[in-house]
Amino acid sequence: MIYLNDDIAHFDWQAALPLLSEQRREQCLRFKHELGRKTCAAAYLLLCEALRKEYGIDETPVFEYGEHGKPAIVGHPDIHFNLSHCREAAICVVSDKPVGVDIESIHRYSESLARYVMSDDELEKILHAENPALEFTKLWTQKEAVVKLSGHGISNDMKTVLTSFAGDLQTVVTDHYVYSLTKPILL
């Protein structure tokens, strides 16, 4: 299930602090700027809402981290989740199978960065798109969601991420942000 808060501008992160686990509160307060604190708290509260609605879990989740830093909920290895946030929104996805999600604001892009992280076919798609920044953002969220699904994080070879992915990939575009969600195909 997808849980989304796209009203970050009005999110009161200070009021949210007592609702966070001590672990997440510390992580939230490490952000230097208010926007980082807002999105960190908002994403966590979406996870709390999802756990309550989908699994009947009322306690605040505490995370443990895998070898490459992918979080899992202590005591609930059967619940998979992923969090992401951007300037305008925070998103949480929960499932009984591994998932990955990424959300990004649509903004100008750097052609040199695109050349570094996109395959030749992807770069052509971006350069010939009516809105190259939007096309870059769509492809980038797809790549991020795929690497977050595996838990391996961003690698040196981002160009091949999508060509080697054999799962389900969904992308949603709004006026201000794009998000992509991945799930593996299980045989």
Side-chain angles (χ1 to χ4, degrees):
M1 295 299 295
I2 300 168
Y3 290 80
L4 179 73
N5 177 344
D6 59 2
D7 190 18
I8 295 299
H10 296 103
F11 181 79
D12 185 349
W13 69 272
Q14 291 175 327
L17 281 179
L19 305 174
L20 309 180
S21 69
E22 181 179 335
Q23 177 192 50
R24 189 63 173 200
R25 192 169 31 257
E26 288 173 5
Q27 183 179 4
C28 180
L29 292 173
R30 281 195 293 265
F31 281 91
K32 199 177 215 182
H33 301 286
E34 182 179 49
L35 181 59
R37 291 177 178 186
K38 281 184 173 191
T39 56
C40 179
Y44 182 83
L45 290 182
L46 289 173
L47 175 61
C48 292
E49 178 184 358
L51 292 174
R52 190 173 49 259
K53 287 181 177 177
E54 305 298 325
Y55 299 96
I57 298 172
D58 289 322
E59 69 263 10
T60 56
V62 174
F63 301 151
E64 57 189 356
Y65 295 91
E67 178 183 350
H68 300 287
K70 185 171 183 170
I73 301 169
V74 172
H76 298 282
D78 54 325
I79 299 174
H80 300 272
F81 74 97
N82 210 230
L83 306 174
S84 186
H85 46 77
C86 64
R87 287 189 301 256
E88 296 83 11
I91 192 167
C92 170
V93 178
V94 294
S95 176
D96 58 349
K97 309 259 185 305
V99 293
V101 69
D102 187 52
I103 191 167
E104 298 288 341
S105 303
I106 302 168
H107 49 78
R108 290 179 35 204
Y109 81 103
S110 158
E111 189 174 325
S112 63
L113 175 62
R115 289 187 183 284
Y116 184 72
V117 299
M118 299 294 170
S119 70
D120 291 341
D121 289 343
E122 293 163 345
L123 189 57
E124 283 299 310
K125 196 173 184 182
I126 292 166
L127 294 175
H128 291 97
E130 184 177 319
N131 184 340
L134 173 60
E135 193 62 36
F136 175 84
T137 305
K138 286 171 28 181
L139 289 165
W140 182 255
T141 62
Q142 292 170 359
K143 289 175 181 271
E144 279 267 345
V146 168
V147 298
K148 289 175 74 177
L149 169 73
S150 70
H152 287 95
I154 295 176
S155 69
N156 290 334
D157 189 17
M158 290 297 286
K159 290 182 178 189
T160 62
V161 167
L162 296 180
T163 57
S164 61
F165 180 63
D168 182 28
L169 183 59
Q170 301 168 334
T171 300
V172 174
V173 177
T174 74
D175 290 341
H176 304 289
Y177 58 85
V178 174
Y179 71 84
S180 292
L181 164 69
T182 61
K183 294 184 279 184
I185 292 178
L186 301 173
L187 303 174

